[in-house]
Structures are given as structure tokens and as C-alpha cells.
Amino acid sequence: MEVLMSIVVGILISAAVYLMLSRSLLRIIIGTGLLSHGAHLLILTMGGLKTGAAPLLGENAKVYVDPLPQALILTAIVISFGVTSFFLVLAYRSYQELGTDDMDQLRGNDQYE
Amino acid sequence: MNNLIILPIVIPFLAGIILIFFNKNIKAQKLISAFASLLAIVVSGMVVHTVHVNGIQSLAIGNWEAPYGIVLVADMYASLLVLTTSIIGFTALLFAFSSITPDREKFYFYPVVQFLLLGVTGAFLTGDIFNLFVFFEVMLMSSYMLIVLGSSKIQLRESVKYILVNIISSALFVIAVAYLYAVTGTLNMADLSVKIADMGQTGILTVIAILFLVIFGLKGAIFPLYFWLPGSYQAPPAVITALFGALLTKVGIYSITRVYTLIFYHEPSYTHQILAWLAALTIIFGVIGAIAYWDIKKIIIYNIITAVGVILFGIAANTPNAVEGSIYYLVHDMIIKGALFFLVGAIIAVTGTSNLRKFSGLISSHPLLGWMFFIATLSLAGIPPLSGFIGKLKIIQGGFEAEEFTISFVVLLSSLLVLYSVMKIFINGFWGEPSNEEVYKEKSVKGMIAPIAILLVLSIAYGFGIESISPYISQATDTLLDPTIYIQAVLKE
């Protein structure tokens, strides 16, 4: 199971890298979304995918799955939600102000404050 | 139990929350944030004193003992950096009072500065690797907002790149934590160190160590990963660049130091050798940038990169003298970079441009500013009575002891070029025929002098008072060189 998940994570991250190297800003943001999916799945996989009950003590099971990676993922998910929503609004603002979403046209020109 | 060490985190946190409620009342904003920063300085001074008297302080949050709960650990290295951070935070606020425009002040500038300080002090004080990630994100999200606040075109353009780079490095951080957790099964730094010492630093752990170097190198701008920094730091107003230049990259350096002295110290011939050469290349590319530009902001920005290289070389050489030198240099560099960016901000406020070719003869209208800039440049280059000297001396001495002659020579040569790059600003900007003297005379830099003066006086006192500071620094060095002191303080075995 871990091998399969690792391959899936690998595919997600390669897709993310491919998208982030493209010119359109929206594709880049989609790439960051895929990248965080890959990272979160990787935490879950690396914590171990052994069979066990959901980490609720009411289940009265002999074995539970590791609760720590789930807590880590939950933290990482909300953080990447916050950052992604900020990034999307920033992309919207910069599309309004700069009139392009083409990263090649966002090159530096020597205008200083 | 010792709740004192959580106060440097709690104070900016509460201040930031309170400040959100009066975002239109600028006077209250200024008062509350100045008061909170002063309080933070006092408290972090007390932390330094406590650590000096009683040794490393650790606080298990919620009474869950060390490897299971989150611990905050204040050793001397972290608490010195926290103290420096609070001082930089206070002076940056003073500088912001007179330089930030009201439209920025009304849109949550002061709360976000407090949250930035919260993230930085939290990152210094935490003893847990995932908690370090969370504090990194607190710091980075505040920095995203500060870099784009005001949304001029250049800020929008540069912040897109800045945020993208940091999102990637944060995802890498999560991935590295996942790998580390899979190998060791723990997240507490002291416990990680014990586990890795038990199982030996196998190949996979060395790979993870290099992955951490890439992540923290992206935050701290080391050689192949510094490409985002010059553009991003140039975009926001000078006071925000000062906060970034003095604090953000230093958190990256702190994390590299922590990880390489506490957790992955078993294979120095591989990891530390890579670090040493990356440091050397960082220094070289930093000085190339610093001497190439005629833009005063860019020159100082490239000097950040050079200093990052110098500090990391001290860590990579890994001899007592080199590590001690790099701590001296880190504290010095935070203070002096703050001062230099404030000075650049004041110069831009007077001249209206950061292009060095467009103004000259500033000394006739603003002599105080000129001589303060002169002292700051000498201190940056490491001229003996001032603060930059002792750190570089120790780093080079340690470099020779570790038989890294080439890189030590690079460090020496870099001082010369750093001096040239900032002296270029002094000679071309302050000397020569006064251009627009009448216009410049009217521009007052009254409120901006005080924060610069505070930092410069500190820098001079740091240089002259080495004798009184050295017990603190050597205590920090001892902990960095001997991880068992740290581990015993945290795990209480």
C-alpha cells in the first residue's frame, strides 16, 4: 500500500512541478494546490498505513492508526488553505493592476520607488 | 516549570490581537505597539539573564512532558536572538511612526508587525520541528501581507514571486518532516537527536539533512537559492525591508545552525563540507551583486546575502572559535542591517530616489545622517573598535583551525569588497557637489534619526563591550558544540 501511495505522491508532485513551471499564474496556483496535496498524502503515508481502528477511544479496538500524522495534516491543510486563498486574491489583484497573468510579462523593469 | 520563556511569544500575540480592534485609531495603534515592544525587550532581557544564571530553560506546554508534548526551549543562543529581535522590532516601530504612510497604517500595519515578531521569536524558542514549521508559517504569512501592503505595482509583481517561492519551500518542509517522522518516529528536536545518535546517521538521514539545508537555505538565501531575495526585498518600503533583512533570513540561519549542531552532527565530513562550500559561493555571489549595483537598496540587500554566507561558514567550520564567531557575527549583523536599511530609508526620504547616480553632496544638508552612515559602513565591514570585527576575526581564526584556508581567505577578501560597496554609497552620495541642496534641506528626517541612533549606539557598545558580552556568547557556544547539554535540559534524563 505504501508503495502505491508513494507512486501516487510522486505523480502529484511531478504534475505540480510541471504546472508551476508554466507561464500562466493560474496554472501555477493549481500547481501549488497539487503540491500541498502531495505533501499531505506523503505525511499520511510516511506515518504508516497499517490497518487499525480510527483513533477514537470509543472504538475499543486493539490497534489504532497513528493519530499524530493526522493532526499534522490537519494543521498543514488549514495553513495551506490560508496561504492559497491569499495567493488567489493576490493573483486577482495583480491581474487587475498589472493587466496580465503571464509570468513572462511580470519581469523586472528598473522602476524604483 | 518556568512560564517566563513563553512571554516573548505571548506579548506580541496579545498586542497583535488587541491592535486589530482599533485599526483606524492610529494614535492608539502607535501607543499600544510601542508599549508592547518595550515590554518584549524587558522580558527577553529577563530571559537572557535567567538562562545565564540558571542554564537552559525549558517549558513543557500543558504539562505534557518532553517527547510527547510541545516544549519551548530557551538556550543562550535562542534567547540572545530573541532579545535582538525585540530590539529590532522596537526600533522598526519607531522608524515606522515617521516613515509609513497613513493608508498603510490604517490597514493593519502594526498588528501584522506584531505577528511577524511573534513568528520570529516563536521560531527561535521552539523545541519541536513541526512547531518550528508552524511558527515559520506565522512569520511568512505576516511577511506576505507586509510585502504587498500598499499594493503598488512593483509590490504586487514581486510578492507573487516571493509567495510562490515560500509556498514551495513550505511544502518541502512538510515533506522533510514526513520523512524524518518515518525514520525516527518523533518530532521533538532533543528526542530526534537522541534517536539519531542511537541508530547512527545512516544514508537516508544524511539525505534528509541535505533536504533541510535546501528548505532553510531557501528561507535564509544561501547560494543557489537566493535568487528571489534581491527583487522581493526591494519592493516594500525601507522599514519593512529592514524587518525582513534583519529578521527573516536570520531565522533560516538559526534553523540551519540548530539542525546541524543538534540533530545531524554525525557526518560532518559530508554535510558540513557542503555547507562550507555553499557558504563560500554565497559570499562570492553576494559581493558580486553588492559591487555591481548603483541602487542603494540593492547594494545593502546583496550585503545581507554576503553576511549569510559568513555566518554559515562559521557554523560549517564547526570549531569552537568559528561557532563563537558566527554567533557574535549573527547578533551584530541583525543590528547593523536594521541600521543600514533605516539609513537607506532616510536617504530615500530625502532624495526621493534610490539611484546613486541621481544625487550627491548630501553631507552639506544632512551631516548627521552622513556620519551615522559612515559609522555603520565601518561597522559592517568589521573595522576593529566596532561590532563587526570580533565575529569575523573568530570565524577566520576558526576557519584556519579547521584548515579551510581557501574559504577563510574568501571571507577576508569579502570584507574588502563589502567595504567598497557601502563606501561607494558614502562617497558618491554624501560627498561631491551638492545637487538640489535647497530641496534636500527642507526634507526633514527628524523622527528617523532616533531609531538609527539607538541601533548604532548598540553596535558601538557591542564592539567596545565585548568583554561583558563574551560570557553570554561562550555559554551559547558551549550549548551548540555539545548537544548533550540541550538534550539533558529538555528530556531531564
Side-chain angles (χ1 to χ4, degrees), chain B residues 231-290:
Chain B
S232 309
Y233 279 23
Q234 183 203 332
V239 57
I240 297 172
T241 315
L243 274 172
F244 285 13
L247 303 179
L248 294 199
T249 51
K250 307 306 184 279
V251 180
I253 297 173
Y254 166 84
S255 311
I256 293 178
T257 311
R258 185 59 86 204
V259 164
Y260 273 40
T261 54
L262 180 64
I263 304 176
F264 304 112
Y265 59 93
H266 304 281
E267 285 279 346
S269 61
Y270 188 74
T271 48
H272 289 55
Q273 200 60 35
I274 288 181
L275 185 58
W277 281 103
L278 287 181
L281 287 167
T282 311
I283 296 170
I284 292 169
F285 279 80
V287 290
I288 289 176

Side-chain angles (χ1 to χ4, degrees), chain B residues 27-69:
Chain B
K27 214 169 197 181
Q29 295 262 325
K30 287 181 176 175
L31 257 170
I32 296 171
S33 52
F35 174 73
S37 296
L38 272 178
L39 200 64
I41 294 180
V42 174
V43 167
S44 35
M46 278 159 66
V47 171
V48 170
H49 180 73
T50 318
V51 174
H52 186 56
V53 177
N54 300 333
I56 297 180
Q57 301 292 308
S58 76
L59 171 67
I61 306 283
N63 255 338
W64 296 95
E65 283 309 325
Y68 305 111

Side-chain angles (χ1 to χ4, degrees), chain B residues 9-177:
Chain B
I9 302 174
V10 168
I11 291 170
F13 178 55
L14 289 181
I17 291 175
I18 293 168
L19 284 171
I20 289 176
F21 293 106
F22 329 86
N23 63 317
K24 299 286 184 250
N25 186 347
I26 295 176
K27 214 169 197 181
Q29 295 262 325
K30 287 181 176 175
L31 257 170
I32 296 171
S33 52
F35 174 73
S37 296
L38 272 178
L39 200 64
I41 294 180
V42 174
V43 167
S44 35
M46 278 159 66
V47 171
V48 170
H49 180 73
T50 318
V51 174
H52 186 56
V53 177
N54 300 333
I56 297 180
Q57 301 292 308
S58 76
L59 171 67
I61 306 283
N63 255 338
W64 296 95
E65 283 309 325
Y68 305 111
I70 288 174
V71 280
L72 296 181
V73 187
D75 64 343
M76 187 44 93
Y77 186 46
S79 29
L80 278 177
L81 293 180
V82 167
L83 179 61
T84 321
T85 302
S86 341
I87 293 170
I88 302 281
F90 176 66
T91 48
L93 279 171
L94 280 189
F95 195 81
F97 292 164
S98 56
S99 70
I100 285 288
T101 48
D103 56 330
R104 287 193 167 99
E105 281 177 322
K106 277 183 188 157
F107 283 93
Y108 306 99
F109 174 79
Y110 294 112
V112 179
V113 169
Q114 294 295 335
F115 289 133
L116 182 82
L117 295 174
L118 156 72
V120 173
T121 45
F124 287 145
L125 286 176
T126 184
D128 184 282
I129 204 110
F130 194 77
N131 201 221
L132 179 67
F133 165 74
V134 174
F135 277 121
F136 258 112
E137 290 301 313
V138 172
M139 173 185 97
L140 289 173
M141 282 186 213
S142 325
S143 75
Y144 301 156
M145 172 144 177
L146 283 178
I147 204 170
V148 80
L149 189 63
S151 51
S152 62
K153 282 189 174 169
I154 181 172
Q155 280 179 304
L156 284 170
R157 201 182 64 206
E158 293 304 332
S159 57
V160 168
K161 298 168 192 169
Y162 177 75
I163 292 177
L164 180 63
V165 165
N166 279 306
I167 286 178
I168 294 169
S169 82
S170 298
L172 284 176
F173 199 161
V174 173
I175 290 170
V177 168

